[in-house]
Amino acid sequence: MDPDYLPFHPNPAQPRFVPPAGAVDAHCHVFGPGDTFPYAPERKYTPCDAPKEKLFALRDYLGFARNVIVQATCHGNDNRALADALRHSNGMARGVASVARDISDAELRELHAAGVRGTRFNFVKRLVDFTPREVLADIAQRIAPLGWHVVVYFEAQDLPELWDFFTSLPTMVVVDHMGRPDVGKPVDGPEFELFVRLLREHPNIWSKVSCPERLSKSGPPNYDDVVPFARRLVETFPDRVLWGTDWPHPNMKSHMPDDGKLVDYLPRIAPTAALQQALLVDNPMRLYWA
Ligand code: 0GY
């Protein structure tokens, strides 16, 4: 089955920015390989195979120590590729799974033993079919006793409708990619202010400041228009932000980012050593390795 989008960058640049010791790439994926870990029949796209060996090699090349591997929709609720990668990471990877309401306690315990520490709810309409809120609320109740958190992925225009659900969740909540703001709008305009208010009023909600390549309209290699949004979150909520490469960048059709250049973007959104240490080491270690 051919992939629906571009292959990941074959030879990223060596980053100039050196991440602090112990840095965590807190949003990345493993895909397949499809003949070992088949893609979900209900998937909305077919990815390029992106096996664990390539992810771990990229981690080392970019100067990172650990990964948080996030289950993507192309694998549905089948977390076997994710669990396999975690088990082969020598404890250097944790995971965020996607689970169904009827998952057994034994299966949850097995995922926890492999290194899973969260579950992901995806609200991006091009990626998933609709799941009723009460099903998601039940899943959140099931995973809360394990100390897991919920990762949510949505687009900014849907935040008003999702607000009550997010703020009722009983766990920590981590928002993917800053809630996908429209970066053509002002960083202090009503849309992004609503997102900032979500974090300000709810200390259990964190944000990933990742994916300039998905959000930018000005484009590579600098993604200048995304910088003010990410930097605002890093400076306002320094102890509740995470960053990840998003390798292998599913569904990127306009261009495929150079992962080395993405690492060089980091000091622009986290300009001091203290902010870099929090973003790349202390925050992910607290959430995933405590
Ligand atoms: C990402 C973003 C995307 C895909 C998924 O689960 C997924 O399939 O999250 C996207 O297409 O924007 O974070 O990987």
Side-chain angles (χ1 to χ4, degrees), residues 8-9 12 25 27-31 49-56 58 62 213 244-250 256 259 262:
F8 53 83
H9 201 291
D25 174 353
H27 185 96
C28 50
H29 309 286
V30 287
F31 295 152
D49 282 346
K52 58 184 181 294
E53 295 82 3
K54 295 254 187 225
L55 176 66
F56 298 152
L58 181 73
L62 296 178
E213 74 281 11
T245 56
D246 193 34
W247 186 88
H249 313 286
M256 186 47 65
D259 298 281
L262 286 178

Coordinates of all heavy atoms in Angstrom, one line a residue, residues 8-9 12 25 27-31 49-56 58 62 213 244-250 256 259 262:
F8 N 9.6 10.7 5.0 CA 10.3 11.6 6.0 C 11.7 11.9 5.4 O 12.2 11.3 4.5 CB 10.4 11.0 7.4 CG 11.0 9.6 7.4 CD1 12.3 9.3 7.4 CD2 10.1 8.5 7.5 CE1 12.8 8.0 7.4 CE2 10.6 7.2 7.5 CZ 12.0 7.0 7.5
H9 N 12.3 13.0 5.9 CA 13.5 13.5 5.4 C 14.6 12.5 5.5 O 14.9 11.9 6.5 CB 14.0 14.8 6.2 CG 14.9 15.7 5.5 ND1 16.2 15.3 5.2 CD2 14.8 16.9 4.9 CE1 16.8 16.3 4.5 NE2 16.0 17.3 4.4
P12 N 18.5 14.5 7.6 CA 18.4 15.8 8.2 C 19.8 16.4 8.5 O 20.8 15.7 8.7 CB 17.7 15.5 9.5 CG 17.2 14.1 9.4 CD 18.0 13.4 8.3
D25 N 12.3 14.0 23.3 CA 11.4 14.3 22.1 C 10.1 13.8 22.5 O 9.8 12.6 22.4 CB 12.0 13.6 20.9 CG 11.1 13.7 19.6 OD1 10.0 14.3 19.8 OD2 11.5 13.3 18.6
H27 N 7.0 14.2 21.3 CA 5.9 13.9 20.4 C 6.5 13.3 19.1 O 7.0 14.0 18.3 CB 5.0 15.1 20.1 CG 3.8 14.8 19.2 ND1 2.6 14.5 19.7 CD2 3.7 14.6 17.9 CE1 1.7 14.2 18.8 NE2 2.4 14.3 17.6
C28 N 6.4 12.0 19.0 CA 6.9 11.3 17.7 C 6.1 10.0 17.6 O 5.4 9.7 18.5 CB 8.4 11.1 17.8 SG 8.9 10.3 19.3
H29 N 6.3 9.4 16.5 CA 5.4 8.2 16.2 C 6.3 7.1 15.7 O 7.4 7.3 15.2 CB 4.4 8.5 15.1 CG 3.6 9.7 15.3 ND1 2.6 9.8 16.2 CD2 3.6 10.9 14.7 CE1 2.0 11.0 16.2 NE2 2.6 11.7 15.3
V30 N 5.8 5.8 15.8 CA 6.3 4.7 15.0 C 5.2 4.2 14.2 O 4.1 4.1 14.7 CB 6.9 3.6 15.9 CG1 8.2 3.9 16.5 CG2 6.0 3.1 16.9
F31 N 5.5 3.9 12.9 CA 4.5 3.4 12.0 C 5.0 2.0 11.5 O 6.0 2.0 10.8 CB 4.2 4.3 10.8 CG 3.6 5.7 11.2 CD1 3.9 6.8 10.5 CD2 2.8 5.8 12.4 CE1 3.3 8.0 10.8 CE2 2.3 7.0 12.7 CZ 2.5 8.1 12.0
D49 N 6.2 3.5 6.3 CA 6.7 2.8 7.4 C 7.7 3.7 8.1 O 8.6 4.3 7.5 CB 7.4 1.5 6.9 CG 6.4 0.4 6.5 OD1 5.2 0.5 6.9 OD2 6.9 -0.6 5.9
A50 N 7.7 3.7 9.4 CA 8.6 4.5 10.2 C 8.9 3.7 11.5 O 8.4 3.9 12.5 CB 8.0 5.8 10.6
P51 N 9.8 2.7 11.3 CA 10.1 1.7 12.4 C 10.9 2.3 13.5 O 11.6 3.3 13.4 CB 10.8 0.6 11.7 CG 11.4 1.2 10.5 CD 10.6 2.4 10.1
K52 N 10.8 1.6 14.7 CA 11.5 2.1 15.9 C 13.0 2.3 15.7 O 13.5 3.2 16.3 CB 11.2 1.1 17.0 CG 11.7 -0.4 16.7 CD 11.3 -1.3 17.9 CE 11.8 -2.7 17.6 NZ 11.2 -3.5 16.5
E53 N 13.6 1.4 14.9 CA 15.1 1.6 14.8 C 15.5 2.9 14.2 O 16.4 3.6 14.6 CB 15.7 0.5 13.8 CG 15.5 -0.9 14.4 CD 14.2 -1.6 14.1 OE1 13.3 -0.9 13.5 OE2 14.0 -2.7 14.6
K54 N 14.6 3.4 13.2 CA 14.9 4.7 12.6 C 14.6 5.8 13.6 O 15.3 6.8 13.7 CB 14.0 4.9 11.4 CG 14.2 3.9 10.3 CD 14.9 4.7 9.1 CE 15.0 3.7 7.9 NZ 16.3 3.7 7.3
L55 N 13.6 5.7 14.4 CA 13.3 6.7 15.4 C 14.4 6.8 16.4 O 14.9 7.9 16.8 CB 12.0 6.4 16.1 CG 11.6 7.3 17.3 CD1 11.3 8.7 16.7 CD2 10.4 6.8 18.1
F56 N 14.9 5.7 16.9 CA 16.0 5.7 17.9 C 17.3 6.3 17.3 O 18.0 7.0 18.0 CB 16.2 4.3 18.5 CG 15.0 3.8 19.3 CD1 14.7 2.4 19.4 CD2 14.0 4.6 19.8 CE1 13.6 1.9 20.0 CE2 12.9 4.2 20.5 CZ 12.7 2.8 20.6
L58 N 17.4 8.5 14.9 CA 17.2 9.9 14.8 C 17.4 10.6 16.1 O 18.0 11.7 16.2 CB 15.8 10.2 14.2 CG 15.5 11.7 14.0 CD1 16.3 12.3 12.8 CD2 14.0 11.9 13.8
L62 N 20.0 13.6 16.6 CA 19.6 15.0 17.0 C 20.1 15.5 18.3 O 19.9 16.6 18.7 CB 18.1 15.1 16.9 CG 17.4 14.9 15.5 CD1 15.9 15.0 15.6 CD2 18.0 15.9 14.5
E213 N 5.9 23.2 11.5 CA 5.7 22.9 10.1 C 4.3 22.6 9.6 O 4.0 22.8 8.5 CB 6.6 21.6 9.7 CG 6.1 20.3 10.2 CD 6.4 20.0 11.7 OE1 6.7 21.0 12.5 OE2 6.1 18.9 12.1
G244 N 8.1 18.3 20.7 CA 8.5 17.0 20.0 C 8.7 17.3 18.6 O 8.2 18.3 18.0
T245 N 9.5 16.4 17.9 CA 9.7 16.6 16.5 C 8.5 16.3 15.6 O 8.4 16.8 14.5 CB 10.8 15.6 16.0 OG1 10.4 14.2 16.4 CG2 12.2 15.9 16.6
D246 N 7.6 15.4 16.1 CA 6.5 14.9 15.3 C 7.0 14.0 14.2 O 6.2 13.6 13.3 CB 5.6 16.0 14.7 CG 4.3 15.4 14.2 OD1 3.8 14.4 14.7 OD2 3.8 15.9 13.1
W247 N 8.3 13.5 14.2 CA 8.7 12.5 13.2 C 7.8 11.3 13.3 O 7.4 10.9 14.3 CB 10.2 12.1 13.6 CG 10.8 11.2 12.6 CD1 11.5 11.6 11.5 CD2 10.7 9.8 12.5 NE1 11.9 10.5 10.8 CE2 11.4 9.4 11.4 CE3 10.2 8.8 13.3 CZ2 11.6 8.0 11.0 CZ3 10.3 7.5 13.0 CH2 11.0 7.1 11.8
P248 N 7.5 10.7 12.1 CA 7.8 11.0 10.7 C 6.9 11.9 10.0 O 6.8 11.8 8.8 CB 7.8 9.6 10.1 CG 6.7 9.0 10.8 CD 6.7 9.5 12.2
H249 N 6.2 12.8 10.7 CA 5.4 13.9 10.1 C 4.3 13.4 9.2 O 4.2 13.8 8.0 CB 6.3 14.9 9.4 CG 7.6 15.3 10.1 ND1 7.5 16.1 11.2 CD2 8.9 14.8 10.1 CE1 8.7 16.3 11.7 NE2 9.6 15.5 11.0
P250 N 3.3 12.6 9.8 CA 2.3 12.1 8.9 C 1.5 13.3 8.3 O 1.3 14.3 8.9 CB 1.4 11.3 9.9 CG 1.7 11.9 11.3 CD 3.2 12.3 11.2
M256 N 8.4 18.4 3.4 CA 8.8 17.5 4.6 C 9.8 18.2 5.3 O 10.9 18.6 4.8 CB 9.3 16.2 4.0 CG 9.6 15.1 5.1 SD 8.4 14.9 6.4 CE 6.9 14.2 5.5
D259 N 14.4 17.6 10.1 CA 14.3 17.4 11.6 C 15.5 18.2 12.3 O 15.3 18.7 13.4 CB 14.3 16.0 12.0 CG 13.1 15.2 11.4 OD1 12.0 15.4 11.9 OD2 13.3 14.6 10.3
L262 N 14.3 21.7 12.6 CA 13.3 21.8 13.6 C 13.9 22.0 15.0 O 13.4 22.7 15.8 CB 12.4 20.6 13.6 CG 11.4 20.5 12.5 CD1 10.5 19.2 12.6 CD2 10.4 21.7 12.5

